[in-house]
Amino acid sequence: MDLTLLRTFVTVHRAGSFTRAAALLGLSQPAVTSQIRTLERQLGRPLFHRRARGVTPTAVGDELAHKAAPHLDALLRITEAEREAVGPLRTLHVAGPPEFLCLRVLPALALLVGQGHTLRAAPQTDDEVTLDGLAVGHHDLVVTTAQPRGGLFTATPLCDEEHVLVAAPYWAALVDMDRLRAEGSAALDGIPLVEVHESLPLVTRYWAAVFDALPDARSLAATVVVPDLRAVLECVRAGAGLAVLPRYLCQDALDSGRIVALAEPAVPPLRTWFLVVRTGSLALAHLAGAHDRLLDAAGDW
């Protein structure tokens, strides 16, 4: 059986789409369709059900993928090992939210550059767009708080991110902490708010977890909206109002007293980061090395 046909088949099986598989393989969609039809003729069985959006494997297709994929991945590992023995290492393309890339991912991967790797980073603020880019091969590895579904991706929990409600000392001095503990978010009414989006995603998540309520739009509307958490932090430090920020981003400002935590819940809100690759791609040595490096670094985060 032609290994090229099997490779195309496994790629389609994982991608769930001829279009995505074609992008990953660097082929045209008609070429992918033709290869799958050739393989189906050789086997005498259909391998996929054609749907309005993508394909789903038949029972025969699932069985073949289960048998063939591990061996194809092993062959890819051998090929990559030979490639790296005789030539330069390949470029690693990573993507994710700009703040997390800047403060966590890129510093952790910097050591790989000294070992001959080259690195390209693509800041992305939309999880869906980021995963679409991974699906079609624009990225090799992404970090995201959205756990993807389906067989195309392999997601590994990387770390948990603690969220903190913070403000400059001026605003903190105006908050009645006893009232905050007794009445919850009502004690914060009237304080300006800094957020990354008009929908108040961070504040809404924090209010639900800590105050068991949703923010009151009449009393807590965003006065500054900027789609970068680093800018949110700077606005808070300058006295623009309160915000919810990840602790890794604001810990230095908390330690220096430039900002103050307004609440210290016994169980702080957490958000999990995932390290996501295309299924099977960890057979590539340069990608597996970066993946392992990030998992090791995350132990100190």
Side-chain angles (χ1 to χ4, degrees):
M1 188 177 293
D2 189 335
L3 287 179
T4 300
L5 298 182
L6 278 178
R7 176 171 177 256
T8 298
F9 160 72
V10 169
T11 303
V12 173
H13 185 273
R14 287 170 169 167
S17 161
F18 286 172
T19 302
R20 282 184 168 180
L24 291 170
L25 294 167
L27 301 172
S28 67
Q29 183 173 336
V32 170
T33 301
S34 176
Q35 290 185 20
I36 295 300
R37 286 175 177 167
T38 298
L39 185 58
E40 289 177 327
R41 284 197 300 271
Q42 291 179 1
L43 296 173
R45 298 283 189 86
L47 297 172
F48 296 103
H49 298 294
R50 275 67 171 177
R51 308 295 187 192
R53 298 181 63 181
V55 295
T56 56
T58 63
V60 173
D62 264 338
E63 183 179 0
L64 178 60
H66 179 73
K67 291 179 178 178
H71 300 290
L72 289 170
D73 291 342
L75 288 172
L76 181 59
R77 280 192 291 271
I78 294 171
T79 302
E80 287 300 310
E82 292 297 325
R83 185 202 301 265
E84 293 185 1
V86 298
L89 298 179
R90 290 168 54 180
T91 298
L92 176 71
H93 295 268
V94 300
E99 307 90 352
F100 198 75
L101 281 182
C102 177
L103 298 178
R104 286 291 188 245
V105 175
L106 294 179
L109 295 179
L111 291 176
L112 298 180
V113 176
Q115 299 170 8
H117 289 72
T118 56
L119 183 62
R120 298 293 183 270
Q124 298 281 351
T125 58
D126 187 310
D127 288 328
E128 184 175 350
V129 171
T130 305
L131 291 173
D132 283 345
L134 178 63
V136 299
H138 295 159
H139 317 307
D140 299 313
L141 178 153
V142 305
V143 287
T144 174
T145 56
Q147 184 174 14
R149 306 296 180 185
L152 177 59
F153 302 120
T154 297
T156 305
L158 182 63
C159 64
D160 288 329
E161 171 186 276
E162 179 186 343
H163 284 183
V164 189
L165 178 63
V166 297
Y170 167 79
W171 290 109
L174 299 180
V175 176
D176 185 332
M177 293 301 178
D178 290 334
R179 184 185 174 205
L180 180 64
R181 285 188 287 269
E183 300 180 20
S185 60
L188 303 173
D189 289 355
I191 298 180
L193 173 65
V194 187
E195 253 282 12
V196 294
H197 192 272
E198 296 286 357
S199 63
L200 312 184
L202 298 175
V203 166
T204 298
R205 187 181 299 113
Y206 189 96
W207 258 235
V210 175
F211 301 127
D212 194 24
L214 294 178
D216 185 345
R218 294 170 301 178
S219 58
L220 193 67
T223 53
V224 179
V225 174
V226 53
D228 188 306
L229 288 173
R230 292 164 298 185
V232 171
L233 172 60
E234 292 307 310
C235 289
V236 172
R237 288 174 56 177
L242 64 82
V244 174
L245 289 170
R247 185 174 288 278
Y248 80 85
L249 182 70
C250 65
Q251 188 61 58
D252 287 346
L254 287 168
D255 291 343
S256 67
R258 294 289 301 277
I259 63 174
V260 177
L262 299 180
E264 294 289 353
V267 181
L270 299 176
R271 183 168 64 169
T272 301
W273 285 93
F274 295 94
L275 190 56
V276 188
V277 298
R278 291 184 300 279
T279 299
S281 64
L282 289 179
L284 303 173
H286 75 295
L287 180 51
H291 191 273
D292 290 345
R293 172 62 191 153
L294 284 174
L295 291 177
D296 288 343
D300 296 326
W301 296 347

